[in-house]
Every structure is written in structure tokens, then in C-alpha cells.
Amino acid sequence: MMRSFRFSLALAAGLSLGVFAGACGSSKPMCGPGTCQGCCSTSTGLCEAGMTMSACGSNGSSCSVCQLGLTCQFGQCMSPTTSTGGGASSTGGGMSGTGGGMATGGSGTGGGAVTGGGLATGGGAVTGGGLATGGGAVTGGGAATGGGFVTGGGTTSSDGGTLLSTITAVQQGTITPGSCVQVSAVAMSAVFSDPDDAIIMDGGTRTPRSAFYISEKNLTTTAPNSGIEVVSTLTAAPSVAVGDDLVVTGEYFENFNNSTLRLTPACGAVTRVGATTVPQPAVVTLSEIGQSGGSSGCPVSGAAWVDGTNAESYEGVLVRIQSGTVSAGRDSFGLFELSSGADKVQVSTSFGLTANPALGGSVTSLTGFGHFSFCRRKLRPRSDSEVTITSSSACGSGPRANHLVISEVVVTPTPAESIEVWNPTSTAISLSNVWLYNATFVADGGTSCFYQLAPTGGACGTTFNDFNLRFPAGASIAPGEFQTIALTGAANYCGFFSCLSSRPTYEVAATGFADDPLVANMLGDFDNRAVVFVSPDGGSGQGLLSNGGEDAVLYSWDGVASTVQDVDYVIWGTTPTYRTDKTGVPGYLADTPSSSQRPMTGTPSATLSYQRVCTNEGAERKTGGNGLTGHDETSEDLDLTWVLQAPTPKAQTNGASP
């Protein structure tokens, strides 16, 4: 088993991904039917009111320019009729005449659609007091200059106007990003600290911002596009409680395709006007609010993620899912993943969620706000009480192991190669007689090398690099403690993992590797005939882990007894000759046959290590074995009790159970 040194490091720092996140995910809906009550501008693509001569239309149609002699009435360019009286087409009070109809009188100058008091100059749609100059939609007091939607008290005019709108209109993409918007809403969450939405606001830094979620009022249950996140850039955090009846003024802002209302000094206010009813979460499925078909990383390096049918419209909305399986434990960003078939969603701990469900656990109920960041769809529960996930059936319900166990194996890249051990018991364990072994092989024309040969001085070949290491005299491990052994030295280990807060517990300081004076050395091999093994003083050879498959074994031997005792035993790969079966060997009970042993599965990488997820060793046979506590350590279903996920050195595996 010759090993090659592979120093290709491939970790990408998670925080640096934020600057690329805009390349992933869905944008807001395009202007069109269903997203715009007026018309869609052919030059900007934005939704217009659809009531002016230069932009006339309705129901998401393309805006038209009314020709000379036509007026924009009810979203259509129409000709005024000829009568002047008081009937349907007359001047006095008709529909298209001068007096009080739809043209000069009632739809025009007099009080109608143009000049008088209708839809135009007088009090109508243009100048008077309607939708335009006088008090209407443009200059007077309507949607524009006077006091309406634009200049006077409206959207984006030069005098600082604010658009009176709704959350639904914002989420449907009918509002121009950067607009100052005022909405009436009910508070759906308390204020929390949100790091995701701070990135672009702080020029790439990650200073968390105060944030909370709001919803449209007067809803029994939440609906698509009915909620949004409010993020504050103000010095003082807003004071908000669930159920508050609020008026919120903020800048509509797309933070890497995640919709927010941003409270800024120029456009930011939260006013409590009372209390109101909080809508219940809509029940949805992962196929609606999740993603499918994508790959990890952001930007996505492989296939692009495909949004669920309602993923975008439930962004910022409180929803509930009632099925799914935990497919990945919590990572360094506090996220775990749920899956249903090809559909996946990440669950965020932004509100201080402490839930860390076991892999394979089934979702009974999980309530949270739809969210989008770093190319992934997420749910944000408000508390642990909103997360109900049953235990994984793979681990069962038995107690934790009653002995020292191997808890993590990092096999690649070479500088990161390490083995983690864990004490799951309530008392300290001495390591003075504990050995760490990796040499099971049939070599040199059939010469066998097995750890049970330790009392005989060993009989291992000399043409492969492996190890048989002993913990230093006096070493021990405290209850619940995790310890790591850096197989290529502490300096290499720290070059891959951050050691600012925690160096490895032990190192193998072989020839060619610097000896870290702050890290204890593992002792070398008992078999001086195998010169490629590490000798007690560092020696001339280095044992490495093979990516394709082999074993890692903890065993106990006092240096005197004629047999050893198994402490823990893990294998990976499909080659039976890398496995141990002591059946029939004098002094030992029967092991599980090599061909029936179940190895850890999957392909390790620079970002994935083998990790124990079942702390009780699953269905391992607990009596009649060669283990230190009577277990048959070769019987553990490692394909069920171990997983591949991001390394967690000197820490509990994310999603471990029970």
C-alpha cells in the first residue's frame, strides 16, 4: 500500500462567497400580467400607472402613447364623443362631453377625465384635483407632484416623497429598487441579528444588522408575496414585538436577490400604531419552497439550482413544512439541510436556533421564514419550538458507547490527514495503554500484518507506509472530550485547519516534519523490523491514510498480555484484505467475517471527512466480542453510523445522535 503525498488544498473560505452570490438564484418577476395593474414600460420594463397620455394601458400590457385627439381613459386611448348636454355623450353631465361627462365637462375640463374635476386637469387624472396636477395622479395631490404617489408625497420625487404601497406590490417587483416605500404591516418576528443582509451594506464586511419580518395585515394565513424582511442600517435597533401593528418606511433593496426593506437615515421609520392579529403560516412542501438539481458552493460550480414552484413568492413569508428528511447536519455557518427527493432547503439558525437534528431524522413540522442567500433557499425558524424532527432510525435509541471511540477520520489532502478520538463516557479514560493502528495488509508474498500480532512482535512487511502508534505515557482524555492526532505533523495540520484557537492534541513528528513544542508526540511502532514505520524518536518513514480504503483501529495492550483488546475499529473501501477477522486465532472470540463487515461509504475530499453520527454505534453487537467492554467492534454498520460532511475537528459531528 504505497501512499502518495497530495498537497492540493481546496477549501474556499465561506465568507468570501458572499461577493458572488448575486450570480445565483431567481430575480424578481418581470413586469407583465399578474404583476402589474397598469402597463409595462417598453423602455424601462417597469410597471407604470397606465393612466397618462404617454403611458396608457392596464393589466400588464405594454404602455401605449395616445395620439393627438385621444385621451387615456381606464387604461385605453379613447376618442371623446361629440355631444355637450347631460346625457351619455352630452356636455352637461354626459360621459364624453363638456359639462359633466367623460371629456371636457365631466371627464375633461369641467370635472371629468381631463381638465375640470374628473380624471384630468380640474380634479381628474391630470392637472386639477384628480389623478394628476391639481390633486390627482401627477402634480396636484394625487400620484405625483401635489400630494400623491410621486412628487408631493409619493414615490421617488426630488423633494423626498414616499410611495404608499403594499408588501405584496414590493415582492411582485412592481416597485423600482431604491424607492422609499411606506407599508402598513403586522410584525411577524422580534428583532434579531442578521449577518447575511449586512454584507453588501457594509462594503463586504460582515457586521450583523438588526432585522425583523413583517406581513400584510388582515390575513388568516400567510400568502405568496405577503411578507418581507426589514433590515436596519440605523444606529439604534428598532423595538418590535410579534403582533405589533406597524407603519414601516424603508428603501426597497435587493440584497443578492433577497428582497428587503432597508431602514436608512434618509428613508427609515418604524411606528407602532397598536396590536393586530398575526396570520398563521401557510403549509407548503419542499417542492414549492426548496431547490433541486444544483451543486454545492457559491457560485455554483456544477449544475445550477432550480427553484421550487413558489420559492420566490414565499421569500420573506412565514411558512410551514410537514415532511422531509435531514440530509446534512449543521455546518460551520449553523445550517442543516432538509430533503424530499431531489428538493432541498437549508435551515438557518439566525434567530439563535439550537436544534441540531440527527441525520436521517424525519420532519414532522418545521416553521420558518423563506430566505435566500449564498445561492441557496433557506428557512429561518424563530425558535426551537418550531422545529419538530424525529430521531434517525439508523442510530436507534440505545445509550452512547461505553468506551473510547474514533469519531472522525480525515484522509485527504495529505497535510490534513488526522484521526479524532472521543470519550463519550462520564469518566476520564487513561490512554497510556491505547494504540492507534493502520497496517492491516497481506504483503511480501503473503506475509500478514494484523494488530493482534502486537504481543508477538508483529510480522509486517517492509514495502508500504503505515503506522502503529502509542499514546504518550500519562495521556488521558476527559469525559466528553475530543482529541485529534495530526498524522503529518502539527504544522501541516494547522496549515489546513485554523489552529488559532486549538492545535491538534498530538502529532506524528516524523522525519521531514517540524516538531511543534506545544503539541505532544505520539510514540512509535513496536516493530523495529519495519523501518518504514515511525520509530519512537520520529524515525525514518511516515504512515499515511489511503483514500481508496483501509482501516483505523484503536486497541489496548499493556505490553505484557498475550492478546490485545479492541477499543474501536473502522474501515473504508471495498478491499477485504484491509480488514481484520480474528476468528480462530488462539485467545480471541469470533469476529464478524471480513466479507460481511460494512465499511464507511462515499468518496472523501478536501472538504469532506468521515464522521461518526451514531454515538451509540448503532446496531453493533454489544456482547460476546473481543472489545474492551465486550462489544464486537467489527460488527458495526459503518455505512449507516458514519457520514461524509465538512470536517469538525475537536468537536461533535453535526447532526450526531442520540
Side-chain angles (χ1 to χ4, degrees), residues 461-488:
T462 61
T463 60
F464 52 93
N465 296 337
D466 281 300
F467 56 79
N468 187 41
L469 304 169
R470 189 174 185 179
F471 287 87
S476 65
I477 182 169
E481 185 182 4
F482 293 86
Q483 295 184 349
T484 54
I485 302 98
L487 299 177
T488 62

Side-chain angles (χ1 to χ4, degrees), residues 106 120 150 172 224 240 329 346-347 376-377 466 513 524 539 580-581 593 627:
V150 186
Q172 286 179 334
V240 173
Q346 292 182 319
V347 180
R376 294 299 304 274
R377 290 290 171 187
D466 281 300
F513 297 114
T580 296
D581 179 1

Side-chain angles (χ1 to χ4, degrees), residues 24-108:
C24 311
S26 301
S27 60
K28 290 312 223 185
M30 297 292 291
C31 181
T35 65
C36 179
Q37 295 181 357
C39 63
C40 299
S41 171
T42 56
S43 59
T44 67
L46 300 178
C47 182
E48 304 287 348
M51 295 181 292
T52 65
M53 303 287 285
S54 60
C56 186
S58 63
N59 297 323
S61 62
S62 297
C63 292
S64 300
V65 177
C66 295
Q67 298 179 0
L68 185 64
L70 301 181
T71 61
C72 183
Q73 303 176 34
F74 307 106
Q76 297 182 24
C77 295
M78 301 175 61
S79 300
T81 57
T82 56
S83 61
T84 57
S89 300
S90 63
T91 305
M95 293 184 63
S96 302
T98 305
M102 291 187 65
T104 308
S107 294

Side-chain angles (χ1 to χ4, degrees), residues 112 291 592:
Q291 295 167 305
T592 299

Side-chain angles (χ1 to χ4, degrees), residues 134-308:
V138 185
T139 307
T145 305
F149 280 105
V150 186
T151 307
T155 311
T156 56
S157 65
S158 58
D159 65 352
T162 300
L163 170 62
L164 301 175
S165 188
T166 65
I167 296 171
T168 302
V170 173
Q171 287 285 36
Q172 286 179 334
T174 62
I175 307 300
T176 305
S179 299
C180 188
V181 180
Q182 185 177 98
V183 298
S184 295
V186 54
M188 298 294 288
S189 80
V191 175
F192 67 101
S193 183
D194 187 358
D196 282 355
D197 289 307
I199 295 172
I200 196 170
M201 297 177 189
D202 296 338
T205 63
R206 203 170 168 82
T207 304
R209 292 293 191 184
S210 299
F212 60 97
Y213 282 92
I214 57 177
S215 171
E216 301 280 18
K217 298 191 298 183
N218 304 317
L219 296 176
T220 303
T221 60
T222 59
N225 300 307
S226 65
I228 197 168
E229 183 183 10
V230 180
V231 182
S232 177
T233 68
L234 304 177
T235 302
S239 178
V240 173
V242 176
D244 281 352
D245 188 350
L246 303 174
V247 175
V248 178
T249 302
E251 178 190 354
Y252 166 40
F253 185 75
E254 284 291 320
N255 186 26
F256 292 130
N257 291 334
N258 185 69
S259 301
T260 62
L261 289 181
R262 182 168 62 167
L263 305 181
T264 69
C267 177
V270 179
T271 304
R272 185 182 186 277
V273 297
T276 188
T277 303
V278 177
Q280 294 298 304
V283 177
V284 298
T285 64
L286 281 178
S287 64
E288 290 182 88
I289 53 91
Q291 295 167 305
S292 62
S295 60
S296 61
C298 187
V300 176
S301 57
W305 286 104
V306 178
D307 272 345

